Amino acid sequence: MLNTSRVARCRFAALSCVRTAPRLNRLMQPDKNTFCSTPFRELYTENDGSFIHCCHAVDTESVRFFENSVKDSQGTVFNVDTVKDLDSVWNSEFYKTLRQDLIQGVQNPLCKHCWRLEAMGAESPRDSSPFKDLDLVLDSDYTVTSGPEFVDLKTGNTCNLKCIMCHPANSSLHLEEVQELRHTGETVPSAVAVSHKEETNMRKQIPLDFLLNNLDHDLKNLKEIQLHGGEPLVTKKALEFIDNLIAKGHSKQIKVRVITNLAVCSTEIFHKLEQFQSVELIVSWDHVNPKKNSFIRYPINHARFLETFDYVRKNHSFDIKISNTLSVFNILDIEEIYDHFEALSQDQALAVTTNIVQAPSYFNSQYLSQSLKRKICDRMPRWLEQNLEYKIFRTGNCFSVLSGIPNFVSYQPSDTDQILKEQEKVLAVYDKKRGTNSQELFHFLFV
């Protein structure tokens, strides 16, 4: 929980300060053990229209969405439907308290996703890189006067896939599947057993006009927009938003980043994206084996995915990054997967971002058998040492994350027996519902 006495002091400061508040001491250096530049530069939204401080704000233990939303001093959640100006969100007490903690060496519980990984000796996504001219934009009450440089827009949960480790909050197909399981009396896997309130939030249609309306004022410092779903490239309002940015003349001044599964049929959207200052596509790709990738990112057509991937690389000047998510389904195949990614980088530059599944717990690789975890700990350092010259290790975070894998998997959760029993039941539910065969593809999980 937050330190209530300090929150009270921050509330008093917020009431008494003015825009001419003094800057922070130029000699003050942020504590490198806790500092993260994200809440000083970036603003994120959720699919229910709320704002969050980071894309990792979801509680990975409870797998509950919409619980860490940015709130005002009365505890009311800010929402794009009702917020009058973005500065009231960006410089709310919520944000200012978080910034103060990260600078002063306090592990704010809102960031426990990173604290948990770091405590295990694994690489976290915390961006501790120095913030140039931090003292020039940060007032003494932790107001950031320049506004966010980066805004992440959740465009809704509309999606054409229901990836095995995903959640109904980010996939409409997952939500439909949950409803079908309930209708037939099947057991709904715990990680996706959403409440009625959560389901209502997931179905909300959130307008994106608030960003367009703030571009000339609160977002005058904006340099980059990230579109995040669901799947933005098949979401109607996301496509309309792109059209509006182009029509109003904003596209030439803004970089757009799209997190996509690239399982799209039309190539028209890629021609529209060419009208932005620059484009970065972060492509989700979890396995190079077609059957395993289709199981993980169900029901992707792997051959069509490869065709689209090749088409975009050959015909558009986009910066393409692969986002690879490691779970029990692919962590034993890291060498095969990353050797293939490296081969792709020989013809054209390619960065790889690596993520680690913490939730659902039953797909978390910490719950693998001890023999398999020893195998990973033995192989990973040797493989990395043998391939230090890989191009993909020079950009992105994949080398640092892969280096921390032995530490991550070595952690032994206390509820292993319980989670493994649940894993077996969950896979049986998905195999029956989706017509997949997890035992054939991942036999090591059933030994």
Side-chain angles (χ1 to χ4, degrees):
M1 294 180 64
L2 293 176
N3 184 313
T4 53
S5 62
R6 195 188 64 241
V7 171
R9 292 197 300 272
C10 285
R11 288 177 178 169
F12 176 79
L15 291 172
S16 60
C17 74
V18 292
R19 297 298 288 174
T20 55
R23 303 294 187 206
L24 285 181
N25 188 328
R26 292 182 65 89
L27 299 178
M28 180 179 180
Q29 294 297 317
D31 190 313
K32 64 181 181 180
N33 295 312
T34 57
F35 182 73
C36 179
S37 66
T38 297
F40 297 84
R41 291 173 165 165
E42 303 174 9
L43 181 68
Y44 291 78
T45 63
E46 258 298 355
N47 279 333
D48 65 341
S50 63
F51 296 86
I52 52 177
H53 66 281
C54 172
C55 61
H56 298 286
V58 175
D59 187 340
T60 56
E61 289 184 319
S62 66
V63 203
R64 289 292 174 260
F65 285 69
F66 319 125
E67 292 187 354
N68 288 328
S69 302
V70 181
K71 302 175 181 65
D72 64 18
S73 58
Q74 305 304 314
T76 303
V77 173
F78 288 106
N79 195 284
V80 298
D81 283 334
T82 56
V83 69
K84 294 180 180 179
D85 63 272
L86 285 181
D87 188 68
S88 63
V89 180
W90 180 238
N91 285 309
S92 60
E93 293 170 22
F94 181 104
Y95 257 103
K96 292 191 286 187
T97 300
L98 177 59
R99 291 168 186 151
Q100 180 180 4
D101 284 348
L102 298 181
I103 283 180
Q104 295 186 356
V106 178
Q107 288 194 351
N108 190 297
L110 291 169
C111 305
K112 62 182 178 181
H113 175 89
C114 288
W115 310 140
R116 188 183 298 119
L117 284 172
E118 292 174 17
M120 297 173 187
E123 181 77 7
S124 82
R126 179 168 64 91
D127 184 1
S128 59
S129 56
F131 192 158
K132 183 181 178 182
D133 297 331
L134 175 63
D135 58 310
L136 298 180
V137 299
L138 190 66
D139 284 347
S140 60
D141 69 336
Y142 297 92
T143 292
V144 174
T145 59
S146 58
E149 300 175 0
F150 170 99
V151 172
D152 172 276
L153 286 179
K154 278 290 192 74
T155 60
N157 75 335
T158 299
C159 192
N160 49 1
L161 301 181
K162 43 184 174 182
C163 303
I164 192 84
M165 63 289 187
C166 196
H167 188 274
N170 295 321
S171 168
S172 53
L173 292 188
H174 248 300
L175 184 57
E176 290 176 10
E177 186 172 65
V178 167
Q179 293 171 329
E180 291 168 2
L181 288 171
R182 284 176 172 158
H183 181 71
T184 57
E186 299 283 347
T187 300
V188 178
S190 61
V192 296
V194 295
S195 66
H196 177 71
K197 179 181 178 182
E198 288 175 312
E199 184 176 328
T200 300
N201 285 338
M202 292 167 197
R203 293 185 177 280
K204 288 182 68 174
Q205 295 297 314
I206 306 302
L208 302 181
D209 292 345
F210 80 94
L211 189 138
L212 288 169
N213 297 337
N214 281 274
L215 278 174
D216 296 326
H217 186 251
D218 293 336
L219 291 173
K220 57 183 180 293
N221 195 49
L222 185 66
K223 298 175 182 176
E224 183 175 354
I225 294 173
Q226 176 169 281
L227 299 179
H228 196 175
E231 171 49 53
L233 298 186
V234 299
T235 303
K236 182 180 178 181
K237 65 179 177 181
L239 301 178
E240 291 175 348
F241 177 72
I242 290 172
D243 287 339
N244 287 336
L245 283 174
I246 294 171
K248 295 188 177 184
H250 295 301
S251 60
K252 295 300 181 182
Q253 289 78 46
I254 294 176
K255 172 182 177 179
V256 64
R257 179 192 296 177
V258 184
I259 298 178
T260 175
N261 57 43
L262 218 57
V264 295
C265 298
S266 173
T267 58
E268 179 185 358
I269 181 59
F270 302 121
H271 295 286
K272 291 184 178 181
L273 290 175
E274 287 280 10
Q275 299 185 55
F276 284 81
Q277 182 186 80
S278 62
V279 178
E280 180 179 321
L281 294 184
I282 300 180
V283 180
S284 301
W285 189 352
D286 289 340
H287 214 298
V288 296
N289 177 295
K291 289 185 177 180
K292 291 182 178 180
N293 196 48
S294 296
F295 178 94
I296 298 169
R297 295 202 165 269
Y298 184 86
I300 195 169
N301 183 318
H302 189 73
R304 185 176 297 166
F305 164 80
L306 293 178
E307 288 176 5
T308 306
F309 185 83
D310 289 341
Y311 166 82
V312 174
R313 291 189 87 200
K314 291 176 181 177
N315 294 279
H316 297 279
S317 56
F318 300 156
D319 180 13
I320 299 178
K321 290 182 170 65
I322 292 173
S323 177
N324 178 250
T325 300
L326 295 174
S327 66
V328 295
F329 304 113
N330 58 359
I331 198 166
L332 293 170
D333 300 327
I334 284 176
E335 297 97 322
E336 176 189 0
I337 295 167
Y338 284 77
D339 285 347
H340 184 80
F341 291 162
E342 173 64 15
L344 289 174
S345 75
Q346 299 306 305
D347 299 328
Q348 190 174 339
L350 187 66
V352 180
T353 297
T354 305
N355 312 290
I356 302 176
V357 167
Q358 292 192 70
S361 296
Y362 40 76
F363 298 147
N364 181 332
S365 52
Q366 291 175 331
Y367 290 90
L368 288 170
S369 69
Q370 288 296 327
S371 61
L372 290 176
K373 295 204 284 188
R374 284 194 295 271
K375 186 176 182 180
I376 293 169
C377 292
D378 178 57
R379 283 168 31 188
M380 184 58 57
R382 288 190 286 110
W383 177 76
L384 287 172
E385 181 68 26
Q386 293 167 2
N387 297 289
L388 289 175
E389 298 304 314
Y390 269 11
K391 290 183 178 180
I392 58 173
F393 291 163
R394 300 173 195 171
T395 56
N397 75 340
C398 65
F399 183 81
S400 58
V401 174
L402 295 177
S403 297
I405 288 294
N407 287 331
F408 179 77
V409 299
S410 294
Y411 178 79
Q412 187 61 41
S414 60
D415 58 349
T416 297
D417 290 343
Q418 172 190 339
I419 295 301
L420 289 180
K421 290 178 181 178
E422 186 176 13
Q423 179 192 88
E424 184 177 356
K425 293 178 180 178
V426 168
L427 288 176
V429 169
Y430 283 137
D431 282 345
K432 180 180 178 181
K433 181 64 178 173
R434 301 180 178 188
T436 53
N437 191 334
S438 57
Q439 292 196 43
E440 177 184 312
L441 294 172
F442 312 103
H443 59 87
F444 53 85
L445 295 176
F446 299 87
V447 175

